[in-house]
Amino acid sequence: AKIPKLVNHLHLPVQHGSDRILMAMKRGYTAMEFKSTVRKLRAIRPELVMSSDFIVGFPGETDEDFDKMMKLITDVGFDTSFSFIFSPRPGTPAANLVDDTPYAVKLKRLQHLQATIEENVRRISASREGTVQRILVEGASRRSSTEVPELMGRTECNRIVNFPGGPLAERLVGQMVDVRITEARPHSLRAEVLTHESALGA
């Protein structure tokens, strides 16, 4: 809350939402404890967005366990995730657990999880339309060209923002600038710059 350098984005791996599976994973916390931590963080950083890691199909995972993980995802409203189907690693305790869940079931669960997270991404992006965001300009966007210079940067919540660079494009790289979000796309935002002069110290 007191350090401006900290942005409003946090990657906090949870792995699962079922206490039974979390215990089998030896994670050392419950889903309720994880959500309590998130509530405390958002109490001091209301705009904080969260990303996390999820493992689907851990040995012994039931439909009920998976439903609990989906409830956690809904309750927290994760912005993005790194999600995978469980794969045993030699030498780990989990490698010796009985894994009798069909792969097709695991894949279906993973696809459902990822679709839910994707919907969160779209909803959060749409909520940014029309807002003013301070971004760090990183460089040329993928679609930039000599004729139409375009820059990209990141918001405090780690969203990629693309915008027209104009004649001052090169001088904006590495600067913090204010932009107005004009369009939300699936995995990026479009914007217009509001503070060329202040960003350049003019």
Side-chain angles (χ1 to χ4, degrees):
K2 299 177 182 178
I3 304 176
K5 291 182 180 179
L6 292 177
V7 296
N8 290 323
H9 178 269
L10 178 65
H11 184 74
L12 194 63
V14 63
Q15 308 298 351
H16 213 280
S18 163
D19 291 346
R20 190 178 71 83
I21 297 298
L22 288 170
M23 185 179 297
M25 290 178 169
K26 305 187 186 303
R27 297 298 296 180
Y29 53 80
T30 65
M32 184 61 70
E33 288 170 339
F34 182 88
K35 286 194 286 187
S36 176
T37 297
V38 173
R39 279 195 298 272
K40 291 174 184 176
L41 289 166
R42 284 180 168 160
I44 59 174
R45 285 288 184 112
E47 298 298 316
L48 185 72
V49 295
M50 306 280 301
S51 62
S52 195
D53 298 339
F54 299 98
I55 296 176
V56 174
F58 190 84
E61 180 188 75
T62 63
D63 286 341
E64 182 180 1
D65 292 322
F66 180 72
D67 288 344
K68 288 179 179 178
M69 178 158 60
M70 293 308 302
K71 184 178 187 308
L72 175 70
I73 289 172
T74 299
D75 289 347
V76 174
F78 292 100
D79 181 62
T80 53
S81 75
F82 298 92
S83 49
F84 312 91
I85 291 176
F86 170 81
S87 58
R89 295 184 179 179
T92 63
N96 298 320
L97 297 176
V98 176
D99 184 9
D100 55 5
T101 304
Y103 180 81
V105 172
K106 296 179 183 179
L107 181 60
K108 184 177 180 180
R109 290 174 182 170
L110 179 66
Q111 290 170 338
H112 177 56
L113 183 154
Q114 291 178 337
T116 300
I117 296 287
E118 184 68 16
E119 182 57 36
N120 284 348
V121 172
R122 293 176 182 273
R123 174 178 51 79
I124 294 170
S125 289
S127 73
R128 300 292 190 267
E129 284 191 10
T131 66
V132 174
Q133 301 284 323
R134 172 145 286 203
I135 68 170
L136 172 62
V137 182
E138 294 188 353
S141 72
R142 292 181 179 179
R143 295 186 178 181
S144 184
S145 65
T146 305
E147 295 77 22
V148 185
E150 185 170 280
L151 295 171
M152 66 80 62
R154 291 179 187 271
T155 66
E156 284 198 12
C157 59
N158 205 33
R159 267 288 190 279
I160 291 176
V161 179
N162 297 304
F163 60 95
L168 301 176
E170 291 184 6
R171 298 174 64 189
L172 290 175
V173 176
Q175 303 292 327
M176 299 293 293
V177 300
D178 289 335
V179 299
R180 188 183 307 280
I181 306 302
T182 57
E183 181 184 358
R185 296 186 176 181
H187 297 283
S188 66
L189 301 169
R190 295 285 306 170
E192 58 185 9
V193 179
L194 300 179
T195 57
H196 277 88
E197 292 78 10
S198 60
L200 296 170

